[in-house]
Amino acid sequence: TGTDPLLTYREMADRLGGKPGTVKAYALRRNSNFPLPDDRTLGHPRWRLSTFEAWVGARRGQGWRAGRT
């Protein structure tokens, strides 16, 4: 829908400030808790903005392991 658009790897990477390949690697990693695609039209996975934002909100902060002993 217009208020909850579908995002590609590239669009998610742009929002994260990273590269599409990195986002795809998260998606393919079994233990990443990355959500399943909301749409696979034409064989290309895409996620709703709300799905992506929920995943980002649930992720541990970048560099969270740095403080571990």
Side-chain angles (χ1 to χ4, degrees):
T1 64
T3 58
D4 198 10
L6 290 164
L7 304 176
T8 64
Y9 288 124
R10 178 173 301 285
E11 291 164 324
M12 290 187 288
D14 288 346
R15 290 174 182 272
L16 291 172
K19 296 180 181 180
T22 302
V23 176
K24 187 173 183 178
Y26 278 126
L28 296 176
R29 200 176 301 157
R30 290 179 189 240
N31 62 350
S32 70
N33 296 322
F34 200 87
L36 294 173
D38 293 305
D39 182 75
R40 285 192 174 270
T41 305
L42 303 175
H44 298 286
R46 297 185 299 167
W47 292 259
R48 293 263 173 225
L49 176 59
S50 60
T51 301
F52 171 70
E53 288 176 340
W55 174 74
V56 170
R59 287 178 65 215
R60 295 178 187 231
Q62 186 176 10
W64 69 274
R65 292 179 189 231
R68 294 178 65 183
T69 57

